[in-house]
Every structure is written in C-alpha cells, then in structure tokens.
Amino acid sequence: MAADSSSSSFFRIGDEFNNTPTQPSATPSSSGPPPPPPPPPPPLPAKKKRNPGTPYPDAEVIALSPKTLMATNRFICEVCNKGFQREQNLQLHRRGHNLPWKLRQKNTKEVQRRKVYLCPEPTCVHHDPSRALGDLTGIKKHFCRKHGEKKWKCDKCSKRYAVQSDWKAHSKTCGTREYRCDCGTLFSRRDSFITHRAFCDALAQETSRLPTSLSSLYGNNNITSLQTQTHLRPFDIHQPQPQPMFFGGGSSNQIDQSLHGLMQQQQQQQQQLPELQSNQNSAAHLIMSSDQFSIGNGGGDHHHHHHQATNLFSGNSLLSDNTSGHMFNQQVMPQMSATALLQKAAQMGATTSSNTSSLFRGFSSSSKLDNETQLQNLMNCMLNPKPNDTLTRDFLGVGSMVRNMGGGSMSQRDHHHHLHHHQQQQQQQQQQQHQGMEMGSLDHSDMKSGGSSSRSFPGGSLL
Amino acid sequence: MTHDYMSFSPSTTSALGSPFSTPSTRELKSDERGIYLIQLLLRCAEQVSANSFDQTNQCLEHISMLASPTGDTVQRIASYFTHALALRVLSSWRGFYIVLNPPPPTPAESLAARRHFFDLCPFLRLSYMISNQAIMETMEGEKMIHIIDLSFSDPAQWVPLLHLLRDRKEGPPHLRITGINEHKQLLDHTALLLSEEAERLDISFQFNQVVSRLDNLDPSLVRIKTGEALAISSVLQLHCLLASDDDAAAARKGTPFLTSRNSCSIAQFHRIVQMSQGTLGELLEKDLLLNGYSMSPDSASSSPFGLPPAPKMERFLSWLCGLSPKVMVVAEQESNHNGFSMNERFMESLNYYAALFDCLESTMARPSAERMKVEKLVWGEEIRNIVACEGVERRERHEKLERWVQRMEMAGFGSVPLGYYTLLQARRLLQGFGCDGYKVREENGFLHLCWQDRSLFSVSAWRRRRFD
C-alpha cells in the first residue's frame, strides 16, 4: 500500500490549491472517513454516496458530445420554439398553448440505475469510464472549467472563470474577507493563512532580534551625512566613459583617487550621477548641493580642495566610523567582504614563488562578487592609467585567473583591462559572467573542467 | 600630489594618504591587511603540505599577529584556518597532539551553536522548509507516514512539519519518526519536544530512536512497517559516510596518510583513470547494486565517471533505496572539501567559509556572542576537520551537488524536481528574513541556497527510480 506514486514533479500542488476541489484527489489513496452525507434524499431508496475514487460497477455510463453537454436548452417547444432546460418546464409551457402535456414522474417502481457521465474531452482523466463523474451538472461544470474558455472575469481582481456560478461565488467573497499576516502577505483562505502563519510566527520572533535590513539603515545614514556635508561634484576618474560611483559607500581609496583625478583634470564635466544605495531623494540632494557648492577653480585652490576633501572624509568617517549602536557600520560598503578580498588577492597574483601563484590560480572563482564590490575591487587596484594597448583582454571577466604571473606592471594592465571590461559587462546579466567564472576547483577527479582555457599550470604539481 | 597605487604589501601601509588622514588609512589598512593575510595563509598552507616545519612556524607566527577571532572577516577566517594548520602540523607528533589538541565541543554546546546557526542564517531554515514541502507534496493522501532522519537533533526541522500535517486538508496522518544520532541525549531531548508539540496539535506521533553513527549503523535497528509511506531526510549529514571509505582505500594501498599523501593522491588519480576504462563491467555491476546486492570492496569503484570510490557510501545508499522511500531529501554543503590533497581542500574551504563568514559579518555585530559561537563551534570545527584531519577522522567530506547526483543515481535514485511552488515559498521565507544577500536559485530541479551568487548549500529530492 505504500506504493510510491509516480508524481514526477511537485508542481501539482499549486494547482490543487487554486481549484476549488470538487473532484476527488488524483492519487488513489487508502480509504479514510467518508465525506459527510448529502442532504436528505428524495423519497427513494437512498442511493448511498460512496467514497470518491471507487467507481460503481453497475452504473450506466453516459457519454454526451460537447454540443449536447453544453446545450442550454434541450427541450424546445414545437409551437413557439422556446427553449427549456428541463422537460418539466417545457410541459408546463405547453399548457399555455393548449397542447396535451404530461408531467413525467420519476419512475419509483424500478430501482433507478445509477448514471455516470463521461467528459467528452479525450485527454481528460474523466474520459475514462472508470473515472466517470456521477452528476450531470457536475460534468457540465467540469467540462466548462477545465476545457472551456474563461469568459467571466472578476472586476476586483484579475481572476477569470469559465463557469458563471464560480464567478458569482468568487465576486461575492473577493476582497471581503482577507487574512493578512504580519509579514504583509494576504490570504483569502483561512487554512493557507494558518499554515503560513505557523512559519511566519517563528520568523517574526527571529527577525525581531535581527537588525533591520541594511538598505534602510544605510539610506538614512546617507541622507543625514550628505545633508550635513553636501558638496562633492561627481568626478571623472581617468576614464572617458562615465562610471557609477558609489558615493560615500565607496572605500576611501576611491575617493582618494577621485579627488586625485579631479585635481589632475581641471574641467568639471558633469559625469554620471553617483549612485546611492537607496532613495532618489538623496541623489537629488546631492545634485542640488553639488550645484551650490562648486568645487572651485580646478586645481587652483588647494586649500579649498583640501577643505572639501577633509569634509568629505569626515563625512565618510561619519558613515563608516559611526559606532553609535547600529550594527552595520563598516560592513558591506566601506570594507570589502572576505570573498572580495580573496578575489583580489587572486588577481593581484603572488608576490612570491610560482608555487604560490599556482595556488592562487587555483582559487576557484566559484564565488562571485556582486557588482559593487567588484567595482571597488578594480578601482582599488587601478594604477596609473595606461592606454589600452594590444594586450589581449580578459573576456572572462573579473574573476578569471590572471594569466601572467609576471611582474607588477603586467598585473597593472590586466587590472586596467578588467576595469574596462568590467564596466561594459556590468550592465549585463551575471549569468554571462557565470560561465566564465565557474572554474572548477583543482580537484583531479572533478571531471567538469574549468571553463577557462587560459589556465596554465606552471609545470609543477599542484600538490 | 601624487598617489602611488602599488601592489599591496605591508611596507606601503603608511605611505598612503597624508592629507587624507585617518579614515582612509584605516580603511585601506583593513583591506590591505586582509589581502596580506590571505597571501600569508596560502603560503603557510603550502609550507605545511611541503612539511617545512621552520617556515611554517615563522608563517604562523606572522599570521597570528594579524589574525584574530574577534576582528573582521578575514581576520576571523585566518585565525580558524591557522589554528587548523597548526594542529595539522602538530598531529605528526602524536604525543603533543593528544595532549594539546583542544577537545571537541560537547553535544550540548554544538547543539546550542547549531541553534544559533539556525537563528542567524536562513540556510537551515530553508533546507528544513524545502524538505518539509517535498515531504508534504509526496505524502499527499497518505495516512501513515514514516520519516527516517539521519541526523535527528533539531526540533526546528520537524515542528513546522507537524503544523503542516495538522492543517492538511485530509487531516493529520499517523506520523512515525525514526531518529538516528550518535548522542543519546540529543535524541531524547528532541524527541521530547516533538512529542509535546504533537500532543498539543493532536497528531498521532510515535518516535523510535537509533543511537548510532551512520557508518556503523545496524540496518536491523531501523524497522519499516508495511503500509507506511517512507521519507528519508538527511541535512548536512550524508557526507560523513565518505570518511570510512578512506580507511579501506588506504589499506589497499598500504601507504600511511600524512607523509606521503602527495604521491598517494597521484596514484589514486591514475587508478581512477584506469578504472574509467572498464565501464561496461561497472555498468553491469550497477544493476546488481540496484537489487541491494552489496559489492565487495575490491571491485572498488562503481563509477566510470571519475568519482572516487566509496563502497561504504554506495552500500548505504543502496540500502536506503531498497527501502523504497517515497522521497529522500538531501541537503549538503555545496563545495568540494573532499579533495585528496590538503592544499586543494584548503583553497576550496577558504573560499567557501569566507562566504559563510561574510554572511554573518553583514548581519551581525562583531562582538556578538552568538556569532562567535557559530563561527567557532560550527564552522571552526568543520574547518579544523577539513584541514587538520585525515582518514577516518576527517568526517566533513563535503562534495558538490554534481557528485551527489552521481552517487544517488548510481544507487538507484531518480531525482524529483523541486517545484516552482517550493521555490516561491523559499523566496518568501527569505523576504521575511530580511537580509538582502541571501538568494535561492533553482537549477535542474535542485535548489541552491546562495549568498550573493555563491551557492553554499544544495537541496535535492530523490525517489526510487523505476526501470520500466
């Protein structure tokens, strides 16, 4: 009895929840307690309703064509061609035409043979006589619901229905009774709400202890310190293309460099707006304030710059050194994560022997960085700018292995390339980088070889 | 005013930033220090595997000046990894090792630490939720459910399942759980909590305990009744079985582990290559395997696909498959910490635990005691095991999902794709958790729990494959 059913996917369950189940469950399960008995039967030998999924062996199977099934008016008056759904109604109507009429009574003499109906749709489960349905209205509704076009639409939400009664039932309750969990999720059904809440209760307790999410906290921080500090015109950082600059969030190296760039270049082009983590408000503040606070005449006033710089840094320090109790200071933005540092160490190559460099190379870039830390990574590595020469670019992206473990100058240029390449790639999906970056570990028996053909072993064994 | 950005080396610490005083140098220093520490670590690992004691000694001293379990992420990682490296070197002096080797945490301590891990990171919670969801979906309509938990110690895994079962449309089933764990007190404690909860929810619940390690599990202790729907759950436990296979491999080769490990691994590599040429025979043997036939250890691998041989694991998995479970859910660390050479394992685990430590760094304050406990008693112990131990002692043999897939398929399991609904639930859970960096990714029907695109844990579901 513990036969494992052949459900190959777990997708079904979503379906089941959505459909108001009028049909028995698909898996032939063991018999449980029978469903509650139907309302008091008409004065006939009561036809006991058996458990769903157990067909009547002696039932009369009726297969109607779709047209017949969907026919609304099966009984037509021959006089005026008016259609009726029930024969009784037709007979009563015939009285009005003074036609002979007879109300046919249900035959109580013989035992009524059970009738079961088939769904005319051949691909349907209920097309099979062993899975026929016992009720004509039921089969009509089933056919409409499953194989019909959904013509009825709820006006409050976007749900569509093929059966008018379903639609009516839904619109009565749509929006009337909703359960809302603390986490903000809405439920229309009580059972799903309770199930969810069992989870969510647990979650709520945990999260109440955890600090609030990073961005809101940081965003507030940003705004306040920005407002007090203002200034900072977006900088040009050696590159002709504008770059997103992570103002305030970037490590101070970046700001160092940016100021350096500013001092070198006297023009003040309006570059791409510095991107902030959260609100646009703060960006707006920034723009406005940067207009007010012109950073003076190019390189002329060093004092002024200096002043700006220290303002900036004290602003930064406000952000980063703020120890007033919130938990994320110095976390994501100003300091690089360990994975970022590992990547950087790998890129920088070794300052030591080739053995170590092979170790570095083995640093699988299976860990990926998010864009921000990558960029910081690169910008930190960036040295004096050299024009792009004909060195081959590393199209595998940031995390690829550095090919030449040569001297420092090589790595400079590599990084430079990385930066360029990275900027271009930054907008693209990370999946692209994923292939390049998913270099397997140096496990011998790992048959999935790392994708980079540029990997070269410097002769020695890895061990 | 020129800025000189050079390759980072310790001598440049002070060179940067005169007018850009304190904050910049402080910031720079920590990143720079991080890089330096990493370089030192790698050099140290290299020296350890080359058995050069003096240089290792120097290196360790150097590192210990910079590393600290209460510092930033890289400092913390460095402290645990160097601790492991030092222990590894020490282990060749048996006497010293035995005396100085810090005792492992008591079961109560590791349970508490694991609880903190559950609280601070969503990974366990997600794994439990996905596994429960898979169980609920397969067990739809079943009246008698039997769950075998290979690492039964956490009530937080099963209490939500009890709730789900009670809210089931067709009413709660009769639930029986067989918990396997090597520590009796964990079993008792958890069982008690579960029974109370089941009582409260009015679910018919029965618990059987099996006090045993997985590798010497007596199959007869696990009793299956006819008419039950069986589910098996293994959360971060299955990899331990790979450890006992090492003993057999070493015995076959006859080489001691620590010293000539390098040559041993190359030899193993060659052996695997040879074995992969005999595919037909192995495929035939696979059939026997599926019927529960246990393979002799000498027939070595059943893998033509480059898997290192693991007869014990294979036997265990085939036994499990032979029980005909409706579903088996496996959650494992997604990283290869089972390489032959310590260096490989070192690098892999450095990357892996760096990501894990990053998780905590982004969500918890540095002085937090819970965070320290997780880092020290959960991950620190794993790191120690991966780096410092060898052979049977090295139980944290994490492997990547692709290997698990191969192993499961060879044992006769077919994968059951975890559906979209489960993925949605997982994402909803993460939303409730409130931290941005965690992600869930679906790949080939398996779910990966990630931190910022680095997959850290994989969850997969399996059932017995039919051959029709």
Side-chain angles (χ1 to χ4, degrees), chain B residues 286-313:
Chain B
K286 195 165 74 148
D287 270 347
L288 294 176
L289 199 68
L290 292 167
N291 296 334
Y293 195 91
S294 69
M295 293 175 48
S296 61
D298 274 333
S299 50
S301 93
S302 31
S303 150
F305 309 111
L307 276 183
K312 188 131 201 173
M313 171 67 84

PDB file of all heavy atoms in Angstrom, chain B residues 286-313:
ATOM      1  N   LYS B 286      26.318  -2.181 -11.679  1.00  0.00           N
ATOM      2  CA  LYS B 286      25.325  -1.226 -11.188  1.00  0.00           C
ATOM      3  C   LYS B 286      23.968  -1.900 -11.055  1.00  0.00           C
ATOM      4  O   LYS B 286      23.220  -1.643 -10.149  1.00  0.00           O
ATOM      5  CB  LYS B 286      25.251  -0.048 -12.158  1.00  0.00           C
ATOM      6  CG  LYS B 286      24.542   1.136 -11.582  1.00  0.00           C
ATOM      7  CD  LYS B 286      24.793   2.381 -12.386  1.00  0.00           C
ATOM      8  CE  LYS B 286      24.037   2.367 -13.684  1.00  0.00           C
ATOM      9  NZ  LYS B 286      23.644   3.698 -14.119  1.00  0.00           N
ATOM     10  N   ASP B 287      23.659  -2.804 -11.967  1.00  0.00           N
ATOM     11  CA  ASP B 287      22.375  -3.495 -11.878  1.00  0.00           C
ATOM     12  C   ASP B 287      22.277  -4.287 -10.597  1.00  0.00           C
ATOM     13  O   ASP B 287      21.275  -4.272  -9.911  1.00  0.00           O
ATOM     14  CB  ASP B 287      22.227  -4.461 -13.062  1.00  0.00           C
ATOM     15  CG  ASP B 287      21.569  -3.769 -14.232  1.00  0.00           C
ATOM     16  OD1 ASP B 287      21.038  -2.667 -14.017  1.00  0.00           O
ATOM     17  OD2 ASP B 287      21.578  -4.313 -15.319  1.00  0.00           O
ATOM     18  N   LEU B 288      23.347  -4.996 -10.317  1.00  0.00           N
ATOM     19  CA  LEU B 288      23.345  -5.764  -9.089  1.00  0.00           C
ATOM     20  C   LEU B 288      23.162  -4.854  -7.895  1.00  0.00           C
ATOM     21  O   LEU B 288      22.454  -5.170  -6.952  1.00  0.00           O
ATOM     22  CB  LEU B 288      24.677  -6.511  -8.943  1.00  0.00           C
ATOM     23  CG  LEU B 288      24.921  -7.596  -9.993  1.00  0.00           C
ATOM     24  CD1 LEU B 288      26.294  -8.177  -9.803  1.00  0.00           C
ATOM     25  CD2 LEU B 288      23.859  -8.660  -9.876  1.00  0.00           C
ATOM     26  N   LEU B 289      23.796  -3.734  -7.976  1.00  0.00           N
ATOM     27  CA  LEU B 289      23.716  -2.772  -6.888  1.00  0.00           C
ATOM     28  C   LEU B 289      22.282  -2.400  -6.610  1.00  0.00           C
ATOM     29  O   LEU B 289      21.848  -2.252  -5.491  1.00  0.00           O
ATOM     30  CB  LEU B 289      24.516  -1.538  -7.282  1.00  0.00           C
ATOM     31  CG  LEU B 289      24.935  -0.633  -6.158  1.00  0.00           C
ATOM     32  CD1 LEU B 289      25.953  -1.334  -5.316  1.00  0.00           C
ATOM     33  CD2 LEU B 289      25.511   0.618  -6.734  1.00  0.00           C
ATOM     34  N   LEU B 290      21.542  -2.241  -7.683  1.00  0.00           N
ATOM     35  CA  LEU B 290      20.183  -1.767  -7.503  1.00  0.00           C
ATOM     36  C   LEU B 290      19.313  -2.781  -6.813  1.00  0.00           C
ATOM     37  O   LEU B 290      18.306  -2.458  -6.230  1.00  0.00           O
ATOM     38  CB  LEU B 290      19.572  -1.427  -8.862  1.00  0.00           C
ATOM     39  CG  LEU B 290      20.241  -0.215  -9.485  1.00  0.00           C
ATOM     40  CD1 LEU B 290      19.857  -0.104 -10.919  1.00  0.00           C
ATOM     41  CD2 LEU B 290      19.837   1.025  -8.732  1.00  0.00           C
ATOM     42  N   ASN B 291      19.675  -4.020  -6.916  1.00  0.00           N
ATOM     43  CA  ASN B 291      18.878  -5.016  -6.219  1.00  0.00           C
ATOM     44  C   ASN B 291      19.350  -5.222  -4.807  1.00  0.00           C
ATOM     45  O   ASN B 291      19.028  -6.208  -4.170  1.00  0.00           O
ATOM     46  CB  ASN B 291      18.939  -6.347  -6.972  1.00  0.00           C
ATOM     47  CG  ASN B 291      18.321  -6.198  -8.343  1.00  0.00           C
ATOM     48  OD1 ASN B 291      17.466  -5.338  -8.528  1.00  0.00           O
ATOM     49  ND2 ASN B 291      18.751  -6.991  -9.292  1.00  0.00           N
ATOM     50  N   GLY B 292      20.150  -4.300  -4.320  1.00  0.00           N
ATOM     51  CA  GLY B 292      20.569  -4.396  -2.936  1.00  0.00           C
ATOM     52  C   GLY B 292      21.746  -5.305  -2.743  1.00  0.00           C
ATOM     53  O   GLY B 292      22.136  -5.619  -1.634  1.00  0.00           O
ATOM     54  N   TYR B 293      22.314  -5.734  -3.816  1.00  0.00           N
ATOM     55  CA  TYR B 293      23.454  -6.620  -3.730  1.00  0.00           C
ATOM     56  C   TYR B 293      24.650  -5.812  -3.252  1.00  0.00           C
ATOM     57  O   TYR B 293      24.983  -4.826  -3.838  1.00  0.00           O
ATOM     58  CB  TYR B 293      23.708  -7.142  -5.144  1.00  0.00           C
ATOM     59  CG  TYR B 293      24.603  -8.322  -5.222  1.00  0.00           C
ATOM     60  CD1 TYR B 293      24.083  -9.596  -5.188  1.00  0.00           C
ATOM     61  CD2 TYR B 293      25.968  -8.147  -5.384  1.00  0.00           C
ATOM     62  CE1 TYR B 293      24.907 -10.687  -5.287  1.00  0.00           C
ATOM     63  CE2 TYR B 293      26.792  -9.234  -5.496  1.00  0.00           C
ATOM     64  CZ  TYR B 293      26.259 -10.506  -5.447  1.00  0.00           C
ATOM     65  OH  TYR B 293      27.064 -11.576  -5.561  1.00  0.00           O
ATOM     66  N   SER B 294      25.279  -6.252  -2.221  1.00  0.00           N
ATOM     67  CA  SER B 294      26.388  -5.430  -1.747  1.00  0.00           C
ATOM     68  C   SER B 294      27.660  -5.815  -2.483  1.00  0.00           C
ATOM     69  O   SER B 294      27.936  -6.981  -2.716  1.00  0.00           O
ATOM     70  CB  SER B 294      26.574  -5.615  -0.251  1.00  0.00           C
ATOM     71  OG  SER B 294      27.051  -6.901  -0.001  1.00  0.00           O
ATOM     72  N   MET B 295      28.404  -4.844  -2.822  1.00  0.00           N
ATOM     73  CA  MET B 295      29.587  -5.102  -3.629  1.00  0.00           C
ATOM     74  C   MET B 295      30.787  -5.370  -2.745  1.00  0.00           C
ATOM     75  O   MET B 295      30.935  -4.771  -1.700  1.00  0.00           O
ATOM     76  CB  MET B 295      29.868  -3.897  -4.505  1.00  0.00           C
ATOM     77  CG  MET B 295      28.779  -3.731  -5.544  1.00  0.00           C
ATOM     78  SD  MET B 295      29.001  -2.252  -6.484  1.00  0.00           S
ATOM     79  CE  MET B 295      30.692  -2.361  -6.910  1.00  0.00           C
ATOM     80  N   SER B 296      31.616  -6.193  -3.213  1.00  0.00           N
ATOM     81  CA  SER B 296      32.827  -6.446  -2.465  1.00  0.00           C
ATOM     82  C   SER B 296      33.712  -5.220  -2.561  1.00  0.00           C
ATOM     83  O   SER B 296      33.745  -4.552  -3.577  1.00  0.00           O
ATOM     84  CB  SER B 296      33.556  -7.654  -3.039  1.00  0.00           C
ATOM     85  OG  SER B 296      33.897  -7.376  -4.381  1.00  0.00           O
ATOM     86  N   PRO B 297      34.432  -4.950  -1.539  1.00  0.00           N
ATOM     87  CA  PRO B 297      35.247  -3.736  -1.560  1.00  0.00           C
ATOM     88  C   PRO B 297      36.310  -3.757  -2.649  1.00  0.00           C
ATOM     89  O   PRO B 297      36.747  -2.719  -3.091  1.00  0.00           O
ATOM     90  CB  PRO B 297      35.897  -3.692  -0.173  1.00  0.00           C
ATOM     91  CG  PRO B 297      35.523  -4.958   0.495  1.00  0.00           C
ATOM     92  CD  PRO B 297      34.482  -5.637  -0.266  1.00  0.00           C
ATOM     93  N   ASP B 298      36.657  -4.914  -3.083  1.00  0.00           N
ATOM     94  CA  ASP B 298      37.720  -4.937  -4.066  1.00  0.00           C
ATOM     95  C   ASP B 298      37.282  -4.497  -5.441  1.00  0.00           C
ATOM     96  O   ASP B 298      38.089  -4.099  -6.256  1.00  0.00           O
ATOM     97  CB  ASP B 298      38.322  -6.346  -4.167  1.00  0.00           C
ATOM     98  CG  ASP B 298      39.394  -6.516  -3.135  1.00  0.00           C
ATOM     99  OD1 ASP B 298      39.986  -5.485  -2.746  1.00  0.00           O
ATOM    100  OD2 ASP B 298      39.607  -7.649  -2.700  1.00  0.00           O
ATOM    101  N   SER B 299      36.030  -4.619  -5.702  1.00  0.00           N
ATOM    102  CA  SER B 299      35.608  -4.154  -7.027  1.00  0.00           C
ATOM    103  C   SER B 299      35.607  -2.643  -7.076  1.00  0.00           C
ATOM    104  O   SER B 299      35.167  -2.029  -8.004  1.00  0.00           O
ATOM    105  CB  SER B 299      34.242  -4.708  -7.375  1.00  0.00           C
ATOM    106  OG  SER B 299      33.368  -4.472  -6.301  1.00  0.00           O
ATOM    107  N   ALA B 300      36.110  -2.108  -6.018  1.00  0.00           N
ATOM    108  CA  ALA B 300      36.465  -0.685  -5.965  1.00  0.00           C
ATOM    109  C   ALA B 300      35.329   0.205  -6.418  1.00  0.00           C
ATOM    110  O   ALA B 300      34.313   0.309  -5.789  1.00  0.00           O
ATOM    111  CB  ALA B 300      37.734  -0.406  -6.739  1.00  0.00           C
ATOM    112  N   SER B 301      35.521   0.800  -7.525  1.00  0.00           N
ATOM    113  CA  SER B 301      34.545   1.844  -7.847  1.00  0.00           C
ATOM    114  C   SER B 301      33.374   1.274  -8.595  1.00  0.00           C
ATOM    115  O   SER B 301      33.456   0.263  -9.265  1.00  0.00           O
ATOM    116  CB  SER B 301      35.178   2.899  -8.704  1.00  0.00           C
ATOM    117  OG  SER B 301      34.937   2.575 -10.057  1.00  0.00           O
ATOM    118  N   SER B 302      32.271   1.939  -8.470  1.00  0.00           N
ATOM    119  CA  SER B 302      31.192   1.638  -9.372  1.00  0.00           C
ATOM    120  C   SER B 302      30.995   2.857 -10.257  1.00  0.00           C
ATOM    121  O   SER B 302      29.963   3.081 -10.802  1.00  0.00           O
ATOM    122  CB  SER B 302      29.937   1.333  -8.583  1.00  0.00           C
ATOM    123  OG  SER B 302      29.977   2.065  -7.407  1.00  0.00           O
ATOM    124  N   SER B 303      32.013   3.629 -10.295  1.00  0.00           N
ATOM    125  CA  SER B 303      31.820   4.855 -11.050  1.00  0.00           C
ATOM    126  C   SER B 303      32.757   4.921 -12.229  1.00  0.00           C
ATOM    127  O   SER B 303      33.959   4.965 -12.058  1.00  0.00           O
ATOM    128  CB  SER B 303      32.073   6.043 -10.150  1.00  0.00           C
ATOM    129  OG  SER B 303      32.552   7.111 -10.920  1.00  0.00           O
ATOM    130  N   PRO B 304      32.244   4.921 -13.364  1.00  0.00           N
ATOM    131  CA  PRO B 304      33.067   5.174 -14.531  1.00  0.00           C
ATOM    132  C   PRO B 304      33.200   6.666 -14.767  1.00  0.00           C
ATOM    133  O   PRO B 304      33.818   7.081 -15.718  1.00  0.00           O
ATOM    134  CB  PRO B 304      32.291   4.528 -15.667  1.00  0.00           C
ATOM    135  CG  PRO B 304      30.901   4.511 -15.216  1.00  0.00           C
ATOM    136  CD  PRO B 304      30.869   4.584 -13.728  1.00  0.00           C
ATOM    137  N   PHE B 305      32.637   7.427 -13.907  1.00  0.00           N
ATOM    138  CA  PHE B 305      32.554   8.852 -14.190  1.00  0.00           C
ATOM    139  C   PHE B 305      33.549   9.676 -13.411  1.00  0.00           C
ATOM    140  O   PHE B 305      33.409  10.863 -13.282  1.00  0.00           O
ATOM    141  CB  PHE B 305      31.151   9.375 -13.895  1.00  0.00           C
ATOM    142  CG  PHE B 305      30.096   8.550 -14.542  1.00  0.00           C
ATOM    143  CD1 PHE B 305      29.253   7.782 -13.783  1.00  0.00           C
ATOM    144  CD2 PHE B 305      29.973   8.521 -15.908  1.00  0.00           C
ATOM    145  CE1 PHE B 305      28.286   7.002 -14.374  1.00  0.00           C
ATOM    146  CE2 PHE B 305      29.008   7.738 -16.510  1.00  0.00           C
ATOM    147  CZ  PHE B 305      28.162   6.987 -15.735  1.00  0.00           C
ATOM    148  N   GLY B 306      34.529   9.050 -12.821  1.00  0.00           N
ATOM    149  CA  GLY B 306      35.542   9.844 -12.161  1.00  0.00           C
ATOM    150  C   GLY B 306      35.272  10.091 -10.702  1.00  0.00           C
ATOM    151  O   GLY B 306      35.962  10.845 -10.070  1.00  0.00           O
ATOM    152  N   LEU B 307      34.280   9.462 -10.151  1.00  0.00           N
ATOM    153  CA  LEU B 307      34.069   9.601  -8.721  1.00  0.00           C
ATOM    154  C   LEU B 307      35.083   8.754  -7.988  1.00  0.00           C
ATOM    155  O   LEU B 307      35.345   7.631  -8.379  1.00  0.00           O
ATOM    156  CB  LEU B 307      32.698   9.078  -8.335  1.00  0.00           C
ATOM    157  CG  LEU B 307      31.502   9.990  -8.475  1.00  0.00           C
ATOM    158  CD1 LEU B 307      30.295   9.261  -7.950  1.00  0.00           C
ATOM    159  CD2 LEU B 307      31.709  11.262  -7.699  1.00  0.00           C
ATOM    160  N   PRO B 308      35.613   9.291  -6.910  1.00  0.00           N
ATOM    161  CA  PRO B 308      36.485   8.413  -6.121  1.00  0.00           C
ATOM    162  C   PRO B 308      35.649   7.298  -5.529  1.00  0.00           C
ATOM    163  O   PRO B 308      34.485   7.490  -5.230  1.00  0.00           O
ATOM    164  CB  PRO B 308      37.028   9.352  -5.039  1.00  0.00           C
ATOM    165  CG  PRO B 308      36.138  10.508  -5.029  1.00  0.00           C
ATOM    166  CD  PRO B 308      35.523  10.630  -6.373  1.00  0.00           C
ATOM    167  N   PRO B 309      36.246   6.151  -5.349  1.00  0.00           N
ATOM    168  CA  PRO B 309      35.456   5.004  -4.910  1.00  0.00           C
ATOM    169  C   PRO B 309      34.953   5.215  -3.489  1.00  0.00           C
ATOM    170  O   PRO B 309      35.642   5.747  -2.644  1.00  0.00           O
ATOM    171  CB  PRO B 309      36.453   3.859  -4.965  1.00  0.00           C
ATOM    172  CG  PRO B 309      37.783   4.503  -4.871  1.00  0.00           C
ATOM    173  CD  PRO B 309      37.654   5.843  -5.500  1.00  0.00           C
ATOM    174  N   ALA B 310      33.771   4.774  -3.247  1.00  0.00           N
ATOM    175  CA  ALA B 310      33.199   4.929  -1.921  1.00  0.00           C
ATOM    176  C   ALA B 310      32.237   3.796  -1.666  1.00  0.00           C
ATOM    177  O   ALA B 310      31.020   3.987  -1.647  1.00  0.00           O
ATOM    178  CB  ALA B 310      32.494   6.274  -1.811  1.00  0.00           C
ATOM    179  N   PRO B 311      32.755   2.617  -1.446  1.00  0.00           N
ATOM    180  CA  PRO B 311      31.861   1.465  -1.320  1.00  0.00           C
ATOM    181  C   PRO B 311      30.902   1.574  -0.152  1.00  0.00           C
ATOM    182  O   PRO B 311      29.760   1.135  -0.240  1.00  0.00           O
ATOM    183  CB  PRO B 311      32.809   0.277  -1.149  1.00  0.00           C
ATOM    184  CG  PRO B 311      34.135   0.839  -0.874  1.00  0.00           C
ATOM    185  CD  PRO B 311      34.164   2.214  -1.400  1.00  0.00           C
ATOM    186  N   LYS B 312      31.375   2.140   0.932  1.00  0.00           N
ATOM    187  CA  LYS B 312      30.503   2.223   2.093  1.00  0.00           C
ATOM    188  C   LYS B 312      29.297   3.115   1.798  1.00  0.00           C
ATOM    189  O   LYS B 312      28.163   2.777   2.118  1.00  0.00           O
ATOM    190  CB  LYS B 312      31.286   2.819   3.258  1.00  0.00           C
ATOM    191  CG  LYS B 312      30.546   2.772   4.543  1.00  0.00           C
ATOM    192  CD  LYS B 312      31.394   2.219   5.635  1.00  0.00           C
ATOM    193  CE  LYS B 312      30.524   1.708   6.773  1.00  0.00           C
ATOM    194  NZ  LYS B 312      31.285   1.019   7.767  1.00  0.00           N
ATOM    195  N   MET B 313      29.589   4.222   1.177  1.00  0.00           N
ATOM    196  CA  MET B 313      28.508   5.138   0.820  1.00  0.00           C
ATOM    197  C   MET B 313      27.547   4.463  -0.147  1.00  0.00           C
ATOM    198  O   MET B 313      26.332   4.577  -0.038  1.00  0.00           O
ATOM    199  CB  MET B 313      29.108   6.399   0.187  1.00  0.00           C
ATOM    200  CG  MET B 313      28.105   7.328  -0.409  1.00  0.00           C
ATOM    201  SD  MET B 313      27.054   8.077   0.803  1.00  0.00           S
ATOM    202  CE  MET B 313      28.053   9.420   1.303  1.00  0.00           C
TER     203      MET B 313
END
